[in-house]
Amino acid sequence: MSEQRVIRPTPISGFPEWLPEIRSVEQRWLDHIRAGFERYGFASIETPSVENLDVLMAKGETSKEVYTLHRVQEEDGDDSEARLGLHFDLTVPFARYVAQHFNELAFPFKRYQIQRVWRGERPQEGRYREFTQCDIDVINVDGVPLHFDAEMPRVVHEVLAGLDLPAWTLSINNRKVLQGFYEGLGISDPLAVIRAVDKLHKIGDDGVRQILTEEGLSGGQIDSCLELARIKGADRSVVEQVAKLGAESELLSQGLEELAFVLDSLSDLPEGSVVADLSIARGLDYYTGTVYEAAFDDDPGYGSIVAGGRYENLAGQFIRRNLPGVGISIGLTRIFAKLAAEDRLPAGRTCPTDVLVVVPSDERREEALRTGALLRGRGFNTEVFHQASKVGKQLQYASKKGIPFVWFPPFDDGRPHEVKDMATGEQGEADPALWERPAS
């Protein structure tokens, strides 16, 4: 017999995977997030992992991040998959979805989407090539009330507060404030300045100053841009701070009014959990109003754990209707991976089984199977051991998998059922039709 080639299993950088005890915690988190979204009336949808490249590149400079789809062996002349790519976020596919199903949806359309996305960037701490995003968005015809701009951070605060995370802060800004301020300074290309300021936390004042100098801004204009970026506050006092800088424009006034509305609406949240930070820009070009970004207080350089914002007409790329929206996304993988690496996750189980039913002998296997079916029917996750091995081996299996209870069907006629609590070692008679799991 020829010797089989052995391929050594190695992890692929940027594509995380978890052992069962970690994955079980992640699933609990997903259930918690899903329930939090549904409490506010968001409906679940799922879009394909692949989209046409024209859809993925409808807005923003993302071509370097998109994984395209190709078969290993393609027939000559077959280019049917040449224009397909894996989605790099969930907002652009959502916009396509709304346009495609426009006549079937009720507006304002509130949806949540929890799926994996893919980005072809260099993996590093907090950045992955494959990761799970948890998005909520609202799209409406012609206009989205500012109520939803305030609802987004409220939902996220409620969800994340239930996950026992390290301290974090959600920062809010408004792109109209930035663009209007830059226009008030006489800057001809405000979007270029927004993209530069968005890098402030990575490259610092000097790095941004160099970029803006190359863009042709004067020293006074650059100083004003950096002064704006330093403004922070938890209430509408930020409006007064911006006014002192002297720039004026209609767009700036509108943006400040919207920002103040959102801050006022969130004033009941715990102090410091939401702040206005006028350095927040969000690099994607499709954002046009409110923008959000959250980071861990003790590790802001780790990257955003929440992000999003308002976009005026992303779905309009696909349909001749004005369909503005606002959304926010929880970067589940970024949060989860950090806590897993630091051993800060709650303990998880290696399997979901509540009860292992022992098989006393081949002759009594049917009795064991009936017992397992009865326990499952009463709501207990139940395994029946796969063969009539020694009892010690079956107990060892339960212990290694962390199964909390082991059930012993009668080993002889006329004998009772018994159940063993693996945590306490206690064992006693039990009726599978009546037994209840002891309160922990």
Side-chain angles (χ1 to χ4, degrees):
M1 185 176 70
S2 62
E3 187 173 323
Q4 182 178 352
R5 175 173 171 244
V6 176
I7 300 174
R8 182 180 178 183
T10 57
I12 303 175
S13 179
F15 293 80
E17 62 182 7
W18 315 118
L19 290 173
E21 57 268 31
I22 303 298
R23 172 59 175 163
S24 67
V25 178
E26 185 183 38
Q27 287 183 305
R28 290 206 304 268
W29 280 31
L30 287 166
D31 290 341
H32 170 81
I33 293 169
R34 187 179 298 112
F37 290 167
E38 291 183 355
R39 274 196 298 273
Y40 281 81
F42 290 86
S44 175
I45 70 165
E46 185 169 282
T47 59
S49 299
V50 298
E51 297 277 353
N52 287 315
L53 290 181
D54 292 340
V55 170
L56 294 176
M57 298 179 190
K59 283 280 189 176
E61 297 296 327
T62 58
S63 59
K64 294 181 180 179
E65 295 185 355
V66 175
Y67 281 110
T68 56
L69 199 66
H70 297 278
R71 286 184 294 165
V72 173
Q73 295 182 344
E74 294 187 25
E75 298 178 7
D76 293 339
D78 181 7
D79 62 351
S80 60
E81 296 180 345
R83 298 295 299 172
L84 297 179
L86 295 170
H87 55 221
F88 64 90
D89 79 349
L90 300 177
T91 305
V92 172
F94 172 54
R96 188 271 309 156
Y97 177 97
V98 171
Q100 185 170 334
H101 298 282
F102 178 80
N103 293 324
E104 304 159 82
L105 300 175
F107 293 93
F109 180 50
K110 302 176 66 173
R111 85 83 170 84
Y112 76 86
Q113 201 167 341
I114 300 177
Q115 287 185 241
R116 294 192 177 189
V117 299
W118 295 266
R119 292 184 185 174
E121 56 184 0
R122 183 172 65 86
Q124 52 187 299
E125 186 182 31
R127 291 189 176 274
Y128 303 92
R129 293 172 175 171
E130 180 183 58
F131 52 98
T132 299
Q133 282 190 326
C134 307
D135 284 20
I136 51 174
D137 282 81
V138 178
I139 278 185
N140 196 34
V141 179
D142 294 333
V144 176
L146 274 174
H147 160 82
F148 291 114
D149 292 52
E151 186 173 75
M152 295 289 154
R154 184 176 296 279
V155 176
V156 165
H157 181 273
E158 185 176 302
V159 167
L160 294 189
L163 292 177
D164 193 25
L165 303 182
W168 55 276
T169 300
L170 179 64
S171 300
I172 301 176
N173 197 2
N174 193 299
R175 288 282 284 256
K176 293 176 184 177
V177 172
L178 300 179
Q179 185 170 341
F181 184 85
Y182 301 152
E183 289 176 355
L185 295 177
I187 295 172
S188 59
D189 188 0
L191 289 179
V193 181
I194 288 175
R195 285 192 288 270
V197 171
D198 189 51
K199 301 175 183 177
L200 181 62
H201 296 286
K202 296 180 180 178
I203 63 178
D205 285 15
D206 292 341
V208 172
R209 186 178 293 275
Q210 180 178 344
I211 295 175
L212 296 183
T213 300
E214 294 170 357
E215 290 288 338
L217 274 65
S218 69
Q221 289 173 322
I222 295 173
D223 289 341
S224 293
C225 291
L226 291 175
E227 286 182 43
L228 179 70
R230 294 188 189 103
I231 293 177
K232 293 184 180 181
D235 54 39
R236 60 171 51 240
S237 64
V238 296
V239 175
E240 300 171 7
Q241 296 180 60
V242 175
K244 292 178 181 178
L245 300 181
E248 295 181 359
S249 74
E250 183 177 344
L251 187 62
L252 172 60
S253 297
Q254 183 181 353
L256 288 172
E257 183 179 339
E258 293 178 1
L259 180 59
F261 174 88
V262 173
L263 292 172
D264 288 346
S265 300
L266 299 172
S267 61
D268 61 304
L269 293 182
E271 184 178 356
S273 58
V274 174
V275 299
D277 182 341
L278 301 196
S279 69
I280 300 299
R282 301 301 302 152
L284 292 173
D285 289 344
Y286 57 64
Y287 292 121
T288 58
T290 304
V291 287
Y292 315 100
E293 198 165 287
F296 289 121
D297 292 351
D298 64 352
D299 193 2
Y302 180 69
S304 302
I305 60 173
V306 174
R310 175 179 279 257
Y311 41 93
E312 282 311 308
N313 200 21
L314 189 56
Q317 298 290 318
F318 313 109
I319 187 173
R320 293 186 182 278
R321 298 296 299 264
N322 184 27
L323 293 169
V326 61
I328 198 166
S329 175
I330 297 173
L332 175 65
T333 302
R334 179 171 288 181
I335 298 171
F336 195 81
K338 177 180 176 63
L339 270 62
E342 296 173 357
D343 196 24
R344 298 170 72 175
L345 292 173
R349 292 174 58 183
T350 58
C351 78
T353 307
D354 298 316
V355 181
L356 173 71
V357 178
V358 165
V359 176
S361 63
D362 288 331
E363 293 75 19
R364 294 192 171 271
R365 181 169 182 78
E366 289 300 320
E367 174 74 14
L369 290 172
R370 286 194 298 271
T371 301
L374 179 56
L375 289 169
R376 280 189 215 102
R378 298 187 57 232
F380 299 106
N381 297 334
T382 305
E383 283 187 54
V384 176
F385 198 71
H386 45 276
Q387 61 188 26
S389 301
K390 291 182 179 179
V391 172
K393 182 177 181 180
Q394 299 187 52
L395 287 170
Q396 186 180 38
Y397 173 85
S399 178
K400 188 172 183 179
K401 293 189 69 173
I403 299 173
F405 298 96
V406 174
W407 197 278
F408 297 92
F411 279 46
D412 298 297
D413 292 340
R415 301 291 299 173
H417 289 258
E418 294 186 7
V419 63
K420 181 182 181 70
D421 186 326
M422 296 294 286
T424 66
E426 295 180 1
Q427 182 172 330
E429 294 183 12
D431 183 342
L434 301 174
W435 179 76
E436 296 292 341
R437 180 172 180 161
S440 56

